[in-house]
Amino acid sequence: MGTEVCARCGGSLESRSPTALQRVWAWWIVGLLFYIPANLYPMLITRTVGRDSEDTIVGGVITLAHHGAYGVAAIVFFASVMIPVGKFVAIAYLALAVRKSHGHRPQRLLILFEVVEWIGRWSMIDVFVVAILVALVQFNLLATINPGIAAVTFALSVVFTMLSAMSFDSRRIWDEVEILAVEDRK
């Protein structure tokens, strides 16, 4: 039988952190707060001979589509809008589902959690694309591309949503199943 006190230091042992969901929500809210200016301010500032252009994420998608680059526009929209919004919704759904007896199938919630974790690894691709464009297009007299403030806030939003997902204790998904199994044995 397990012990409730650490044999080495005498401190109490907990299998679940009582503040885990608070950390999930704290990181989630900060990530959302940074995602808003990431969509309101320019992602790229382009200067060509006699012309300055500032594009937000959605503005860049519209510009790409207007120039006929529908595939690239779709990829940018999916990676910069759909995936981040989907991550926000999925993390919030998971955090709400484990607060109380959820009645959901734990396997589906675990798959959702694993998808969010997997996508987190690829979420910085937009920031890397901006960095590569800035490094490649620096023809001082003809054209320059500089990152806008949205590139920084988008990167911060990605980092904070990754921290939110990492703070989520996936064992909580299975807690209800274990409680029901114990109740059934009684």
Side-chain angles (χ1 to χ4, degrees):
M1 183 167 285
T3 179
E4 295 182 14
V5 177
C6 176
R8 176 176 247 182
C9 69
S12 62
L13 299 176
E14 298 174 351
S15 67
R16 306 289 189 271
S17 171
T19 60
L21 281 179
Q22 291 173 348
R23 283 192 304 273
V24 169
W25 283 112
W27 292 125
W28 185 89
I29 290 168
V30 174
L32 183 64
L33 289 175
F34 277 106
Y35 186 68
I36 293 167
N39 284 286
L40 296 177
Y41 292 104
M43 179 68 86
L44 286 176
I45 301 167
T46 309
R47 289 183 179 87
T48 55
V49 179
R51 184 170 172 239
D52 288 354
S53 173
E54 295 182 354
D55 281 319
T56 62
I57 294 171
V58 175
V61 169
I62 292 169
T63 301
L64 286 167
H66 185 270
H67 290 292
Y70 301 111
V72 176
I75 290 169
V76 170
F77 182 74
F78 187 74
S80 301
V81 177
M82 297 299 292
I83 287 177
V85 169
K87 280 176 59 179
F88 282 118
V89 170
I91 292 169
Y93 180 75
L94 287 167
L96 290 171
V98 299
R99 274 185 47 219
K100 297 180 182 172
S101 177
H102 53 77
H104 300 287
R105 295 172 81 188
Q107 295 87 350
R108 288 187 180 175
L109 292 177
L110 189 60
I111 289 170
L112 179 61
F113 173 71
E114 289 173 352
V115 167
V116 168
E117 282 281 302
W118 184 81
I119 286 174
R121 298 178 204 153
W122 297 97
S123 297
M124 291 294 274
I125 198 163
D126 300 29
V127 178
F128 293 138
V129 168
V130 169
I132 291 169
L133 276 173
V134 168
L136 290 177
V137 183
Q138 292 300 326
F139 307 116
N140 291 329
L141 296 175
L142 299 175
T144 60
I145 295 179
N146 293 310
I149 189 68
V152 175
T153 58
F154 186 85
L156 289 170
S157 175
V158 168
V159 168
F160 290 126
T161 54
M162 288 172 65
L163 288 170
S164 178
M166 290 169 50
S167 297
F168 183 79
D169 186 356
S170 62
R171 297 174 300 175
R172 299 221 22 193
I173 293 171
W174 298 97
D175 286 350
E176 180 182 338
V177 174
E178 291 173 10
I179 291 169
L180 292 174
V182 168
E183 289 176 358
D184 287 345
R185 283 186 244 149
K186 290 182 182 180

